[in-house]
Amino acid sequence: MITEPLEGFLPLFRSWFDTAAMAEKVGVSGSPENLLVELDLGPMVEAELRLLNHTPANAAEAACMLEVVRQNMGDAGRSDGLDLRAVAAVQRWLADQSTNEAEGQPVERLLRRARV
C-alpha cells in the first residue's frame, strides 16, 4: 500500500470517473455499434490501480476511493482484491483522524475511543 499522498490524485480520479461514466452510458458490450469497442481502456485500468493502491490524505480522497470500490463491487468486485485493500486504507485513515492511536486495527481503535 502506498503511504505517500499521490500527486494529482483528484485529477486522476476525475479522469477515471468520467471514463467510467462514459462506459456506463454507452455500455461495454461487444456489439458493433458500441463506441467503446475501439477505445483503449488501458489508461483507465492503470489509473484505477494507482487510485486503489493509494492511502487517502483527506476526506475527499477517501470518498473518491470509496466510489471506485463501489463501482467495482457493483461489477462483482476486483479479482485482485484491490477494492478490499482500498476500503482498508480508508478505514485506517478514518481511524487515524478520529483517534490519537496509531497501533491496532482501525475498527478496534474506534471502538476503544467510543468507550472513553
Side-chain angles (χ1 to χ4, degrees), residues 5-22:
L6 175 65
E7 287 297 318
F9 178 89
L10 290 177
L12 181 63
F13 173 77
R14 170 52 80 183
S15 296
W16 176 89
F17 186 75
D18 289 345
T19 304
M22 181 176 64

Side-chain angles (χ1 to χ4, degrees), residues 39-111:
L39 183 64
D40 177 14
L41 294 178
M44 181 183 180
V45 171
E46 179 61 31
E48 187 172 292
L49 290 173
R50 292 183 66 201
L51 293 168
L52 290 175
N53 274 311
H54 175 64
T55 297
N58 55 50
E61 291 182 4
C64 291
M65 288 178 72
L66 290 176
E67 177 60 19
V68 177
V69 172
R70 185 190 66 76
Q71 288 193 27
N72 280 329
M73 294 178 102
D75 295 332
R78 292 180 55 95
S79 62
D80 61 7
L82 277 179
D83 45 6
L84 298 176
R85 285 179 34 201
V87 167
V90 171
Q91 280 183 313
R92 201 168 24 261
W93 181 82
L94 289 170
D96 290 347
Q97 300 306 304
S98 302
T99 67
N100 293 327
E101 302 174 53
E103 300 296 319
Q105 295 295 322
V107 175
E108 290 173 3
R109 288 190 280 153
L110 292 170
L111 290 173

Side-chain angles (χ1 to χ4, degrees), residues 29-35 37:
S29 67
S31 67
E33 58 274 353
N34 184 352
L35 299 175
V37 170

